Amino acid sequence: MTPQALTVLTDHVFNQLAQQPSGAKRLFHGRGRCFPNLEQITADWLEGQILVSLFKEPSVEELDKLNKEIINWTVRTEWNDHKVQSILLQHRSRERSPTECLWGNYQEQQVVNEEGLLFQLDLGKNQNSGLFLDMRYGRRWVKENSQDKRVLNLFAYTCGFSVAAISGGADFVVNLDMAKAVLSRGRENHRLNQHDLNRVKFFAHDIFKSWGKIKKYGQYDLIVIDPPTFQRGSFALTKDYQKILRRLPELLTENGQVLACVNDPSIPAQFLIDGMREEAPTLEFQYRLDNPPEFMDIDLESGLKALIFQKTPDNAIN
């Protein structure tokens, strides 16, 4: 982190703040490798809190320079125009990814508004806050394509897709994730949005031991698959994704749709296209969703891959 690089970080953050961001939005995305010497830094706007994240441990000297640069933000003449309440620094490379408050009033729990949807964030408690900001367009797509549909949300996490689906008029949503705690947060997210929980199911189970339970509520008009790259003892993306894909035809209604996602920089979109062709040939690739512009990446295949597939009649397959 050279002085020149830190100046780029500051200028970019303030340029984004000048646009009066609302809700939750990325201010700076070094992970996209578009900013030399800043590849391990991101900065997010969270309803008045700025969360700066370090993905690699810097030297003591570099960390000291970064801290001073961030504190200097608060003495800029335009600082008060942006209504910033705190600046947080998260050390994601350290054990338990601790978060420290560099300035202001630190709120560990924060409700943010994303395009009219409310989400509860937990800052400093876990490595991730509870909402993946690069998936904003994915949640938007689900909201726009859920009217009167039955939706299955696999690897649901805090149920962002489920919240979007019910807000978009879905009849019923099933959420499945191994972690009870994140599903509990998902239930709170639905309550924040004043949703009827009778239209939402939450299953804290291993997906590969739950097909019978999932089919009990199927078939589904829309299935969302947004897995982690690796989940110890239960899921490895390159090995296990195919096991899910081959189940899709029996779970989907005629003309049912799938939003399938990969967020591993080493795995291209073609992995999903080829996997679907092999394991579920009745599902045709339609298109890939754009990523939000603030997540610009030097390589399109390194960023989030969110692909839409649609089921076709068996006799329509070439």
Side-chain angles (χ1 to χ4, degrees):
M1 285 181 282
T2 64
Q4 294 83 359
L6 292 177
T7 298
V8 169
L9 170 65
T10 294
D11 289 346
H12 198 84
V13 166
F14 273 86
N15 286 338
Q16 293 300 306
L17 288 175
Q19 298 178 29
Q20 300 296 322
S22 60
K25 186 177 181 181
R26 179 135 301 178
L27 299 175
F28 180 81
H29 187 60
R31 301 284 282 171
R33 296 173 295 162
C34 296
F35 302 96
N37 298 308
L38 295 169
E39 293 86 352
Q40 304 300 328
I41 299 179
T42 63
D44 296 327
W45 173 260
L46 305 175
E47 291 276 1
Q49 300 198 90
I50 295 178
L51 175 64
V52 178
S53 298
L54 278 174
F55 288 79
K56 181 179 180 181
E57 186 69 21
S59 68
V60 173
E61 181 181 3
E62 287 177 324
L63 182 58
D64 181 61
K65 289 180 179 179
L66 175 64
N67 286 343
K68 289 179 179 177
E69 183 74 19
I70 291 174
I71 293 300
N72 283 338
W73 293 352
T74 66
V75 300
R76 288 180 57 142
T77 55
E78 69 270 43
W79 180 249
N80 291 333
D81 297 337
H82 303 307
K83 300 178 182 178
V84 183
Q85 301 168 14
S86 68
I87 307 175
L88 313 177
L89 180 62
Q90 184 185 34
H91 301 271
R92 290 179 65 100
S93 64
R94 297 181 184 178
E95 186 176 359
R96 302 179 69 92
S97 300
T99 298
E100 60 178 313
C101 182
L102 298 184
W103 176 88
N105 182 26
Y106 176 17
Q107 298 180 59
E108 292 188 3
Q109 292 197 329
Q110 176 82 52
V111 175
V112 296
N113 184 317
E114 180 190 81
E115 300 184 352
L117 305 180
L118 300 179
F119 298 99
Q120 173 79 59
L121 306 186
D122 293 304
L123 305 176
K125 183 177 180 181
N126 301 302
Q127 184 179 80
N128 298 309
S129 67
L131 188 70
F132 293 112
L133 303 185
D134 57 349
M135 194 58 84
R136 184 172 83 250
Y137 285 1
R139 288 184 287 271
R140 179 192 294 176
W141 184 90
V142 168
K143 184 178 179 180
E144 293 174 347
N145 290 273
S146 293
Q147 182 70 45
D148 302 322
K149 292 184 178 180
R150 297 175 62 82
V151 179
L152 173 62
N153 185 13
L154 300 176
F155 305 97
Y157 190 47
T158 57
C159 305
F161 287 117
S162 176
V163 168
I166 293 295
S167 297
D171 286 338
F172 187 73
V173 180
V174 172
N175 293 291
L176 189 140
D177 197 287
M178 284 190 65
K180 291 182 179 179
V182 293
L183 289 180
S184 294
R185 174 57 67 210
R187 187 177 283 106
E188 290 303 314
N189 283 334
H190 276 288
R191 288 181 176 136
L192 273 175
N193 290 275
Q194 300 182 341
H195 291 164
D196 179 4
L197 290 181
N198 290 321
R199 295 162 58 195
V200 188
K201 292 290 183 183
F202 305 89
F203 296 132
H205 299 299
D206 183 335
I207 185 173
F208 298 114
K209 300 178 181 178
S210 304
W211 294 119
K213 188 178 291 289
I214 292 170
K215 289 174 66 176
K216 177 182 176 181
Y217 293 95
Q219 294 175 317
Y220 301 91
D221 304 293
L222 172 60
I223 298 176
V224 179
I225 315 168
D226 185 21
T229 299
F230 181 77
Q231 201 168 48
R232 185 179 298 276
S234 64
F235 187 83
L237 191 146
T238 55
K239 180 171 65 75
D240 294 324
Y241 214 133
Q242 289 81 354
K243 298 176 185 177
I244 298 173
L245 299 182
R246 69 180 60 131
R247 293 277 187 168
L248 295 177
E250 63 181 306
L251 294 173
L252 281 166
T253 58
E254 185 178 359
N255 299 318
Q257 293 178 295
V258 173
L259 169 57
C261 308
V262 170
N263 202 2
D264 185 316
S266 67
I267 299 176
Q270 197 64 39
F271 166 83
L272 278 176
I273 296 172
D274 292 343
M276 195 73 79
R277 184 183 297 118
E278 180 177 346
E279 302 293 346
T282 57
L283 273 76
E284 287 189 351
F285 172 60
Q286 303 295 301
Y287 52 90
R288 176 177 174 176
L289 298 182
D290 291 334
N291 291 335
E294 61 269 24
F295 284 88
M296 58 181 177
D297 201 298
I298 196 171
D299 179 4
L300 180 65
E301 291 301 301
S302 294
L304 170 67
K305 280 75 68 171
L307 278 60
I308 307 300
F309 297 85
Q310 184 159 2
K311 190 177 180 182
T312 59
D314 290 348
N315 58 12
I317 303 174
N318 293 326

